[in-house]
Amino acid sequence: MSTARIGPVPADRLEDFFRAMGVPFSFDPAEDDLDEARGFWAPEWLTAAWDDDRIVATFGSFPLRMRLPGGATVPTGGTTVVTVMPTHRRQGLLRRLMRDHLDREREAGSAMAALWASEATIYGRFGYGIASDDWRLTLPRRHAVFADPPDITGRMRLVDAAEAADVLPPIFAAATADRPGTFERTDHWWRNRILQDPERHRSGYTPRRIVVHRREGEDVGYAFWRTKGGPDGLELITTELLGIDPDAERALWQFLFGVDLVNEIKAPRRPSGDLLRWWLRDPRKLERQESDALWVRPLDVRACLEARRWDVDGAIVLEVHDPWYEDVTGRWRLEASDGAATVTRTDEEAVVSMGVDTLGTLLMGGFGAELLARAGRLGGTPEALRAVDRLFRWPIPPWVQEVF
């Protein structure tokens, strides 16, 4: 067990923090990277393990507001930049940092913690459960043809980062208002993270282009894209494409399909069930690679379950097991009526039981209880599992808009 102490990162040690983080993550931050980090990161978001005066492990937590089914947001600790130096592995540092993180989130009133896992083998043991998938899409340009070509109204215009900082946030808010797993972006987040475009981060692509779709006097969608040359023509990549309704998204795809000299179109982070598949004349030509994306760790059972919406009425008693927190562990009676729920402690017999990680999976509504039961992730009678399935399922698949 390491004797390193866990503590905050003073503002004058940010460079040391990111240089330490670069060792496990295999990058060497340049001075421009450090300047960018100083402009974005608040010192209170960062924690480190210190061996004497050296940083030997890193940990971060973004103060997020993440959406649950139905559109309500809850305060969420965005777990991030988790590393341990190779010299200090297998000494319990990750466990200590994680406990410190979750304890502080609970004290601050966070309903849950969430992350995008760099490795899927790490976080289940700390109570995080897979809560969403996303698709990485690849489409040959010659097959970028709609079965029913859209009748696009309105117009497209290109905007620079300064204009985008004012125009995009309302579109983003409207487009993600009912999508579980997305989180609100502050002005600071937009200007210092999303709209930054340093050349060193482009991987050989052009500077980012931003197109905005305007319809009937309202901005209704936007897309980011870049291109890069290849032996058979350009590769176009879009890292964010959002519309306030399906027609706006169709119009943006149609715009990207028309960019000159492109041979292949890529979209690395799209919601599972993306509508593009259903719009194409030959959907088989759309290559889809699916992967886990959002992982959720409930910290306050009542706050999580009472904040989300419910599509059907019903009552169920759940038993939750949490290896760390006694106030999460126990039996909970959930009664859903008219879209809302009340959640109370109970001594009634539970009809289903699960770990806190599985509760995080169910919470976001993307994976059913019967599926999870077949995988051995929760137990209960077939009737109870069907009841939980009906209660927790949500018609809009969860998705998180970016790696954080």
Side-chain angles (χ1 to χ4, degrees):
M1 180 69 68
S2 172
T3 58
R5 65 179 176 88
I6 305 300
V9 180
D12 62 356
R13 300 298 299 272
L14 285 180
E15 179 174 341
D16 295 332
F17 182 95
F18 287 100
R19 291 199 182 280
M21 188 177 75
V23 176
F25 278 163
S26 296
F27 74 93
D28 191 15
E31 192 57 41
D32 286 348
D33 295 304
L34 295 170
D35 287 342
E36 185 180 336
R38 294 183 191 104
F40 173 69
W41 290 87
E44 60 268 24
W45 297 350
L46 302 175
T47 306
W50 301 82
D51 190 346
D52 292 329
D53 196 45
R54 292 181 298 113
I55 294 176
V56 295
T58 66
F59 208 103
S61 179
F62 293 128
L64 305 179
R65 292 203 64 90
M66 185 165 284
R67 294 196 184 281
L68 298 178
T73 64
V74 292
T76 302
T79 313
T80 188
V81 297
V82 181
T83 72
V84 179
M85 293 286 275
T87 53
H88 285 69
R89 292 206 176 115
R90 307 293 184 265
Q91 298 179 29
L93 286 180
L94 175 55
R95 186 176 182 84
R96 291 172 58 197
L97 282 162
M98 182 64 74
R99 185 58 186 255
D100 173 78
H101 164 58
L102 296 180
D103 285 352
R104 286 187 291 108
E105 291 299 333
R106 282 161 53 87
E107 290 170 8
S110 293
M112 61 189 193
L115 57 82
W116 186 302
S118 56
E119 293 185 63
T121 59
I122 297 174
Y123 295 99
R125 67 181 186 268
F126 301 119
Y128 292 80
I130 297 172
S132 79
D133 287 329
D134 73 356
W135 284 355
R136 182 180 182 89
L137 304 180
T138 303
L139 180 66
R141 164 69 179 280
R142 65 184 181 278
H143 295 297
V145 180
F146 284 120
D148 301 304
D151 181 16
I152 298 174
T153 60
R155 65 186 183 90
M156 302 286 178
R157 75 182 189 281
L158 300 183
V159 300
D160 60 18
E163 185 178 358
D166 295 324
V167 171
L168 302 193
I171 304 172
F172 173 83
T176 60
D178 58 359
R179 177 72 74 172
T182 57
F183 57 87
E184 296 176 350
R185 288 172 173 166
T186 64
D187 182 68
H188 176 78
W189 194 281
W190 274 106
R191 293 178 185 275
N192 295 285
R193 182 177 173 98
I194 302 302
L195 295 174
Q196 291 293 314
D197 186 29
E199 184 175 358
R200 63 190 181 281
H201 293 169
R202 294 175 189 164
S203 302
Y205 287 89
T206 62
R208 180 180 51 223
R209 324 293 187 189
I210 306 173
V211 63
V212 174
H213 179 36
R214 189 169 182 83
R215 185 184 65 203
E216 297 178 353
E218 179 186 8
D219 292 325
V220 295
Y222 67 88
F224 299 156
W225 90 95
R226 307 175 188 272
T227 55
K228 179 168 68 175
D232 300 314
L234 295 178
E235 174 188 293
L236 182 149
I237 187 168
T238 177
T239 54
E240 192 156 299
L241 183 154
L242 290 170
I244 68 169
D245 54 37
D247 286 344
E249 288 203 0
R250 276 166 59 94
L252 288 163
W253 281 117
Q254 184 67 39
F255 173 86
L256 294 182
F257 290 174
V259 175
D260 290 336
L261 306 178
V262 169
N263 179 63
E264 187 173 67
I265 298 167
K266 293 185 175 182
R269 291 188 300 275
R270 299 295 300 167
S272 64
D274 195 297
L275 294 176
L276 180 61
R277 177 188 186 186
W278 302 98
W279 291 332
L280 292 173
R281 186 170 65 187
D282 189 348
R284 189 173 296 177
K285 302 302 182 184
L286 181 68
E287 178 185 325
R288 291 172 286 121
Q289 294 180 308
E290 188 170 80
S291 178
D292 59 277
L294 181 67
W295 293 58
V296 164
R297 205 283 185 207
L299 297 172
D300 184 329
V301 173
R302 182 178 288 109
C304 286
L305 296 180
E306 291 188 345
R308 65 158 282 176
R309 299 288 291 175
W310 304 85
D311 249 3
V312 299
D313 294 349
I316 201 83
V317 177
L318 315 170
E319 186 165 12
V320 179
H321 304 279
D322 188 328
W324 280 359
Y325 299 114
E326 291 184 0
D327 60 338
V328 174
T329 292
R331 297 174 185 175
W332 299 89
R333 180 175 177 82
L334 186 158
E335 297 184 62
S337 178
D338 295 328
T342 57
V343 179
T344 55
R345 283 280 192 180
T346 183
D347 292 326
E348 297 176 62
E349 184 177 354
V351 295
V352 291
S353 62
M354 68 195 76
V356 68
D357 57 334
T358 300
L359 180 62
T361 299
L362 285 173
L363 174 66
M364 305 306 284
F367 301 96
E370 292 182 293
L371 168 69
L372 294 169
R374 290 197 298 273
R377 305 308 297 268
L378 76 162
T381 65
E383 295 79 9
L385 293 170
R386 282 193 291 273
V388 173
D389 212 285
R390 288 192 298 271
L391 272 173
F392 277 84
R393 279 285 194 174
W394 192 253
I396 302 170
W399 175 65
V400 62
Q401 73 266 20
E402 63 191 271
V403 179
F404 64 91

